Amino acid sequence: GSASLRRGALLKRLRPDVQIGLLRGNVETRLRRIAEGDFDAPLLALAGLKRLGLEDRAAAILSTDEFPPAVGQGAIGITARKNDAATRALLQPIGDVPTGQALTAERAFLRVLDGSCRTPIAGHAVLTGDGLHLRGLIARPDGSEVIFTERRGPLADAEALGRDAGEELKRKGGPDFFAT
């Protein structure tokens, strides 16, 4: 069970024999539905289990190589008005510049692909010394095709790296890639 098209498509890519049903609700609700026999297993984010102190409930941890995260997953964002200098000044000390650069690349990648919760897209940027490594993919909803890309470059080029990676996948996938 999963509510994530991305996770479902990636699982179907590896295990086309598995049936995936829609599993919604908070983590406790999802785990209860497993215990009640509605599903054999949930696909859940490990970060959510850790946050709730339920990490021991994970039967297997899927690698980010096989199951890269959704764009922005794991980043915490706080929104402030551009003209609200006082609030922006209060937030500045807690801002993490490297995370911001990685997120800039991921968001540029997603923006080019016009992604949403209804499109199986993954994008994961990590810092490498003074550079950035972005891995991304698009998947058909049924998992029958997955197209990967990756980019490496300086942190200052984060947005351009993301855009370029997104353009590549958009070109390779074509206009109807996400249609089922």
Side-chain angles (χ1 to χ4, degrees), residues 154-172:
L155 284 175
D157 294 345
E159 187 162 351
L161 292 169
R163 273 195 321 265
D164 188 54
E167 290 292 347
E168 177 191 344
L169 293 185
K170 191 174 186 177
R171 205 172 39 255
K172 286 182 174 178

Side-chain angles (χ1 to χ4, degrees), residues 3 10 29 46 51 70 170 174:
L10 292 174
T29 298
L46 182 60
R51 196 171 39 251
K170 191 174 186 177

Side-chain angles (χ1 to χ4, degrees), residues 50-73:
K50 284 181 178 179
R51 196 171 39 251
L52 296 169
L54 299 171
E55 184 177 1
D56 62 321
R57 301 288 300 271
I61 298 174
L62 308 172
S63 78
T64 56
D65 290 336
E66 292 290 341
F67 286 81
V71 166
Q73 193 162 340

Side-chain angles (χ1 to χ4, degrees), residues 109-122:
F109 171 74
L110 187 64
R111 194 168 33 255
V112 166
L113 294 167
D114 195 27
S116 72
C117 61
R118 291 178 287 286
T119 48
I121 298 172

